[in-house]
Amino acid sequence: MGMVIKNNMAAQNTLGTLNKNSMALSKSLQKVSSGMRINGAADDASGYAISERMRVQVRGLNQDIDNTQSAISMMKTAEGAISSTVDILKTMKEKAINAANDTNTDADRAIIQKELNQAIDQVDDNASVTFNNKILFDGSADAGTTAEQRIIKALNSEWLDSALSMAKEAYGLSFQEDETSVREMTVKFERGSSGGSGGTTTLAYVTSYFGSDGKTNKLELTINMDVYDALAEHDVNGKAGSYPYLDRTIAHEMTHAVMSANITGFNNLPKYIKEGAADYIHGIDDQGDRKNVLLALTPDTVNSQFANGDGVVPYAMGYALFHYLNAKSGHDGHMMTRFMNVLDEKGGSALDEAVAAASKGGFSSAAAAIAGFKQDLTDYTAAGHTTKEFLKEYCDIDFDNNFDTGSALGSKAWMGESANAEQVVIEGKSPNFWYYPGSDTSVIQGLTVKWPNYTRPDGGFRFQVGTKANQNIQAQFSDIHATALGLRSDDGKNLSVETRAEAKRTMTVLDRALEKALDQQTTIGALQSRMEYTASNLTTASENVQASESTIRDANMAREMTDYTKNNVLMQAAQSMLAQANQSSSAVLSLLQ
């Protein structure tokens, strides 16, 4: 290269190398000082984008963990309230058992009632608990506005259980027996059908399907929604307009169901036996159509009426016959159990033997019992008495006594306390108690109930536990106020133990209230446990994503220090060489002297 003074290319080249080394040293210094391999998109564009997405995910997961911890705190608050309520209900059950004992006077029961009133008020206080000003037990799990929703909830929580309990206690029949032929029933809602036996409008009915062996292999319960679309919102008995209470209709129909499932040849029994037994379970002394049939009886019409299969006649005649058999057997309280035991063991063809067992040998057959009924009516009316008086004297059917419907478990059947139309099927004080099935089937006293499709309101709390919009856990709580546990009516009347009869009914209501409260407590506990698992899973996910992000973005300090040292040495070397290159131009001056 020639000796020039205008362009010192050696110095220029060295300067370029110095700049490169200076930039490399600057980047190394930035990496070493920050601890990150990627400090900006220029360092690694794709790596930077991937890392930033991971950082967003990590921050989201960490917030999810915080959300989950807050949700767990909410669950603990709710669990504390429901736990206190369960303790109160246990105490109330103890007090109700005490009140049902006849060693207590009515004055004693009045004192016990004061304790219950305070306990019920405390249940309401517990249910009003809030978390961050949010009402926890808002009833979103059981909300419903349509008649179908209310009926499904009532069937699931009270009506079916009460009906099966009545059949088991009064008749000794249940779906839990070894020889029961079918243990499943489908519930259906029907519209556009108003005909049916037993009246101009069939409110609800059970359909039994029989095999060639005479055994039932399928059951269906149909509810006529043409009537029950007008279901009263605040009536626990299921009243719709002028129609009878649906709870009693369900008791009637479930008596058919449990008889059909246990009695081979049930379909071949006389209609007055099938319908009379179903009416006897809940009593009909308050029902005008049956009452009119019985009051119109004369000795001359007895046989024809027992043979009559139209309308409500077989219902009324069968009901009267069972009351007659009960009176003739000495009111020992086990007449129907003896009757059903024979049919259960030997089938419908053993009807005469069942009547003999029910009457303790007083009658050898159903025909003999009808003949005895007719003869007693003949003799009694011939003595100047009325049919109404005969029914009271010989059948314990007192149409003037409105305190008891004549049910198999009531005072007229000599089995228990008086129970009127509202009391004969035991329910809580408010429909707010009713709650939905946990799934599309429920098992109630050994019977698997298959529910129809229905809509369920969407509400409650949603806990965000994921980084995507739909990754959440829903929590819906039942209402646990006094009305929602059946302890207080919608108009403010508390559950009562002021009489022995009321105390006995209260015991059943409290059992169901405890079942609902414990179910809610179990739900809360399960949610809390799920939240804890979720928090653990989110923590693991956050750690793993952060580890992956670290692999991409964090600097390897050993390598970076090596690079830094190298770049620092190269920087110093370039500086030294630049100084040498700048000296090379001064050699030209010697030529100019």
Side-chain angles (χ1 to χ4, degrees):
M1 179 179 178
M3 297 182 68
V4 297
I5 60 174
K6 183 175 182 181
N7 293 300
N8 188 345
M9 296 310 299
Q12 290 291 333
N13 291 335
T14 303
L15 179 60
T17 300
L18 177 62
N19 289 335
K20 290 178 183 179
N21 291 340
S22 176
M23 186 178 296
L25 180 63
S26 176
K27 287 186 177 182
S28 292
L29 183 62
Q30 187 179 26
K31 291 176 182 179
V32 172
S33 61
S34 66
M36 293 190 298
R37 183 180 70 86
I38 303 173
N39 288 283
D43 293 335
D44 182 348
S46 61
Y48 180 82
I50 294 170
S51 172
E52 285 298 310
R53 282 199 298 270
M54 287 185 171
R55 285 188 172 188
V56 171
Q57 187 174 6
V58 168
R59 290 180 65 174
L61 289 170
N62 289 339
Q63 183 58 57
D64 287 334
I65 294 171
D66 292 342
N67 290 354
T68 305
Q69 294 299 333
S70 296
I72 291 173
S73 296
M74 178 185 280
M75 294 299 105
K76 289 180 178 179
T77 302
E79 185 183 10
I82 194 68
S83 179
S84 176
T85 296
V86 169
D87 288 340
I88 292 171
L89 291 172
K90 288 188 287 188
T91 302
M92 291 177 67
K93 177 66 182 294
E94 182 181 6
K95 298 298 181 183
I97 293 172
N98 183 16
N101 190 13
D102 257 348
T103 58
N104 292 299
T105 65
D106 285 345
D108 295 329
R109 294 187 178 104
I111 294 172
I112 296 173
Q113 182 64 44
K114 291 180 180 180
E115 292 186 67
L116 257 64
N117 290 341
Q118 291 299 317
I120 291 171
D121 287 342
Q122 184 57 46
V123 167
D124 264 351
D125 291 343
N126 290 348
S128 299
V129 66
T130 62
F131 183 88
N132 193 26
N133 290 327
K134 283 183 171 289
I135 298 173
L136 300 185
F137 298 102
D138 58 354
S140 58
D142 305 323
T145 56
T146 68
E148 286 95 338
Q149 291 169 333
R150 295 199 296 274
I151 288 173
I152 284 176
K153 291 191 295 180
L155 289 171
N156 175 65
S157 51
E158 290 192 311
W159 290 349
L160 289 178
D161 181 64
S162 288
L164 293 176
S165 293
M166 292 168 73
K168 186 174 183 178
E169 185 177 354
Y171 296 173
L173 296 177
S174 75
F175 285 96
Q176 297 166 315
E177 297 182 39
D178 292 338
E179 301 302 320
T180 302
S181 63
V182 59
R183 292 186 173 88
E184 183 176 282
M185 181 181 74
T186 301
V187 176
K188 298 168 60 179
F189 292 128
E190 181 180 74
R191 297 181 186 276
S193 175
S194 59
S197 61
T200 57
T201 300
T202 303
L203 306 180
Y205 58 92
V206 163
T207 304
S208 299
Y209 296 86
F210 302 94
S212 57
D213 56 358
K215 294 183 178 181
T216 303
N217 53 38
K218 183 180 177 181
L219 292 170
E220 290 179 349
L221 171 63
T222 303
I223 309 293
N224 183 359
M225 295 310 299
D226 287 341
V227 171
Y228 284 103
D229 258 343
L231 189 70
E233 184 177 355
H234 298 287
D235 193 293
V236 294
N237 302 105
K239 190 170 180 61
S242 61
Y243 293 101
Y245 293 141
L246 184 55
D247 61 350
R248 291 173 68 181
T249 303
I250 297 302
H252 178 108
E253 295 302 328
M254 291 308 299
T255 301
H256 285 320
V258 74
M259 288 176 65
S260 178
N262 287 283
I263 299 172
T264 301
F266 166 78
N267 198 41
N268 297 323
L269 287 170
K271 190 172 182 179
Y272 70 85
I273 292 292
K274 291 186 289 187
E275 300 300 348
D279 265 0
Y280 187 62
I281 198 75
H282 60 83
I284 60 171
D285 288 7
D286 60 322
Q287 296 184 2
D289 52 358
R290 271 78 158 171
K291 177 180 178 180
N292 293 335
V293 170
L294 294 178
L295 290 178
L297 270 179
T298 66
D300 293 336
T301 62
V302 168
N303 290 337
S304 61
Q305 288 294 70
F306 272 107
N308 190 342
D310 296 331
V312 299
V313 172
Y315 295 70
M317 298 305 297
Y319 171 76
L321 181 64
F322 281 117
H323 263 294
Y324 178 75
L325 290 174
N326 189 53
K328 286 293 185 179
S329 66
H331 302 113
D332 66 351
H334 302 289
M335 181 275 297
M336 286 302 291
T337 303
R338 293 192 298 271
F339 180 83
M340 292 297 177
N341 279 344
V342 173
L343 296 182
D344 187 11
E345 293 174 6
K346 300 185 178 182
S349 60
L351 173 61
D352 289 339
E353 188 176 340
V355 171
S359 63
K360 295 182 178 180
F363 301 108
S364 60
S365 65
I370 293 172
F373 181 93
K374 179 179 179 179
Q375 187 61 51
D376 284 338
L377 176 61
T378 301
D379 295 342
Y380 201 66
T381 54
H385 298 285
T386 65
T387 299
K388 183 178 181 180
E389 291 171 330
F390 165 79
L391 292 171
K392 180 179 179 180
E393 181 68 23
Y394 283 82
C395 304
D396 301 310
I397 299 175
D398 183 2
F399 289 125
D400 295 325
N401 177 2
N402 294 322
F403 297 103
D404 190 279
T405 63
S407 72
L409 295 170
S411 61
K412 292 181 182 179
W414 298 69
M415 275 286 284
E417 310 295 335
S418 294
N420 60 27
E422 289 77 24
Q423 299 168 338
V424 65
V425 179
I426 298 178
E427 289 117 356
K429 302 291 287 184
S430 170
N432 290 337
F433 171 78
W434 299 340
Y435 52 91
Y436 288 105
S439 64
D440 57 356
T441 62
S442 296
V443 179
I444 302 174
Q445 296 195 28
L447 175 66
T448 299
V449 182
K450 299 175 66 176
W451 304 106
N453 292 328
Y454 63 94
T455 58
R456 186 169 179 171
D458 187 16
F461 304 95
R462 280 181 170 79
F463 305 119
Q464 187 65 35
V465 295
T467 57
K468 302 297 182 184
N470 61 344
Q471 293 176 329
N472 55 64
I473 294 175
Q474 185 178 17
Q476 289 183 290
F477 297 145
S478 295
D479 188 356
I480 59 167
H481 284 83
T483 55
L485 291 177
L487 311 180
R488 177 177 287 160
S489 66
D490 292 350
D491 60 3
K493 185 177 180 181
N494 286 343
L495 205 62
S496 174
V497 294
E498 295 185 275
T499 66
R500 184 169 62 120
E502 289 177 330
K504 289 172 64 177
R505 283 190 286 270
T506 292
M507 289 164 59
T508 300
V509 174
L510 287 172
D511 283 340
R512 290 176 181 161
L514 267 167
E515 184 178 351
K516 182 177 182 179
L518 288 171
D519 179 75
Q520 185 65 83
Q521 189 174 26
T522 302
T523 299
I524 292 171
L527 278 168
Q528 186 175 334
S529 178
R530 181 181 177 184
M531 288 295 180
E532 290 171 354
Y533 282 118
T534 300
S536 177
N537 184 52
L538 288 169
T539 300
T540 301
S542 177
E543 290 172 354
N544 288 331
V545 174
Q546 196 160 0
S548 297
E549 194 270 342
S550 175
T551 301
I552 296 172
R553 199 155 188 169
D554 286 0
N556 184 329
M557 295 304 290
R559 179 186 298 168
E560 296 304 334
M561 281 303 297
T562 300
D563 289 344
Y564 172 77
T565 302
K566 178 190 71 174
N567 291 330
N568 192 31
V569 170
L570 289 174
M571 177 73 175
Q572 293 178 37
Q575 287 174 337
S576 177
M577 291 303 100
L578 180 58
Q580 292 295 325
N582 286 334
Q583 288 296 322
S584 65
S585 295
S586 65
V588 179
L589 295 175
S590 63
L591 297 176
L592 301 176
Q593 291 177 353

